[in-house]
Amino acid sequence: MSLGIVMMLAGFFLFAANDTLGKWLLGTFTVGQIMLVRAVVGLSIILPLIVRGGVTPIRSQPKPWLQVLRGVLSTLEASLFFWALSTLPLASVMTYYLAGPIYVTALSPWLLGEHVGWRRWSAVCVGFFGVVLALSPSGDSLSFGAFCALAGSFSYACFMIATRKLAGTSNAVLMGWQLATALVFGIVMVASQGWTPPSQIDALLLAVLGIGSLAGNLCVNLALKLAPASVVVPYQYTLIVWGILFGYVVFGEVSDIKTLAGAAIIVGAGLFIFLREQQLQRQKRRQAAV
């Protein structure tokens, strides 16, 4: 179980480091170019796994239209994340994205047919208050970056819902659709915005960006296999700690008190929702065993 916790911590450390590197590279390259290179690197790694598995998993995949939609949502949330990073502090963007699980709970009665009781609805409302507090709505705060962060976090929530609906599909097929969609998006964006030739160091960093994303996902998947979700999932909120630290050390960003308070509220609401869902699942298992 302790190894599962270590892998979850490592996964979200990699995500935070990867996001920091992405923000750094945005000073030189467009979002489209970063998405294109990430997709090419990711496909070069995952394609052998898809080929080894043969065409049967691809032909027999459930709900192909939902696979495509999930890939589009993945590309949308990633590109919006990078656009938000180009203008907002690292910790602020991560704060908005941590609200994703709260949006999932709010949408689940309509998109997943799940019952949400008054306790979780209360946590959803508190979580939304945390988002509003972190955003601090005003003429200055409602910027392009803030809009991208909010739209991206909502897209991320829809992506997670689509992933739930595709439970049982092989990871290789899921990742293949994600990367293929990102590849198409990157090609279109680069064709319209142009290509900035990277130096050898920048080319290496762009490759690391693609590898880091896959490595983070691998660590999280291993964590969920090595330990119960109820043990390891709460550690995802270490992402905001790394965001604050990397933002300060690398970019000299200092989060204001409203952003920190909003982040704390969002984390608290997200943890309550998760723990409540785990409690309800245990109750259902006990009732089924009777």
Side-chain angles (χ1 to χ4, degrees):
M1 186 177 295
S2 59
L3 182 58
I5 295 173
V6 170
M7 295 306 297
M8 182 63 82
L9 290 172
F12 280 90
F13 170 80
L14 287 171
F15 287 147
N18 212 44
D19 294 339
T20 305
L21 177 57
K23 183 175 176 65
W24 178 272
L25 291 170
L26 283 168
T28 305
F29 306 102
T30 65
V31 171
Q33 187 167 345
I34 289 177
M35 292 289 291
L36 175 60
V37 176
R38 279 207 333 165
V40 169
V41 172
L43 281 171
S44 66
I45 295 173
I46 202 171
L47 196 57
L49 298 177
I50 297 176
V51 172
R52 191 191 316 173
V55 297
T56 301
I58 298 175
R59 287 178 177 175
S60 60
Q61 62 176 314
K63 304 175 182 176
W65 64 270
L66 188 56
Q67 298 277 2
V68 175
L69 177 60
R70 180 181 175 278
V72 170
L73 290 169
S74 172
T75 300
L76 185 61
E77 66 90 3
S79 57
L80 286 169
F81 182 84
F82 283 124
W83 270 314
L85 280 180
S86 65
T87 61
L88 293 180
L90 187 65
S92 296
V93 180
M94 289 182 176
T95 295
Y96 298 135
Y97 268 70
L98 285 177
I102 297 173
Y103 299 153
V104 171
T105 301
L107 292 170
S108 60
W110 295 275
L111 299 181
L112 292 173
E114 297 178 354
H115 172 72
V116 176
W118 67 269
R119 294 180 181 84
R120 282 180 290 168
W121 273 122
S122 299
V124 167
C125 293
V126 171
F128 282 149
F129 172 74
V131 173
V132 173
L133 180 62
L135 181 61
S136 301
S138 68
D140 295 330
S141 64
L142 295 176
S143 61
F144 172 75
F147 170 79
C148 287
L150 290 172
S153 63
F154 183 78
S155 300
Y156 177 57
C158 293
F159 164 76
M160 288 193 288
I161 288 174
T163 302
R164 280 195 192 181
K165 284 183 169 290
L166 291 169
T169 305
S170 73
N171 288 330
V173 171
L174 290 175
M175 286 300 300
W177 274 111
Q178 284 181 241
L179 294 170
T181 309
L183 179 67
V184 173
F185 172 83
I187 291 173
V188 172
M189 293 297 293
V190 167
S192 63
Q193 296 179 335
W195 174 269
T196 301
S199 65
Q200 290 185 344
I201 295 297
D202 285 338
L204 177 62
L205 292 176
L206 285 166
V208 169
L209 195 66
I211 296 171
S213 178
L214 287 177
N217 280 294
L218 176 62
C219 287
V220 171
N221 289 339
L222 285 174
L224 291 171
K225 291 180 179 178
L226 292 169
S230 59
V231 173
V232 297
V233 167
Y235 288 95
Q236 68 179 315
Y237 293 107
T238 57
L239 184 68
I240 190 61
V241 177
W242 291 119
I244 293 170
L245 179 61
F246 288 156
Y248 176 74
V249 172
V250 179
F251 304 107
E253 300 169 346
V254 179
S255 300
D256 59 38
I257 189 64
K258 288 185 178 179
T259 299
L260 294 175
I265 292 172
I266 291 169
V267 169
L271 282 172
F272 177 86
I273 289 171
F274 173 77
L275 294 174
R276 177 60 180 166
E277 288 175 349
Q278 293 296 306
Q279 181 185 33
L280 292 173
Q281 288 178 9
R282 288 194 295 270
Q283 290 176 357
K284 288 180 180 179
R285 286 196 293 268
R286 284 197 295 267
Q287 291 172 358
V290 175

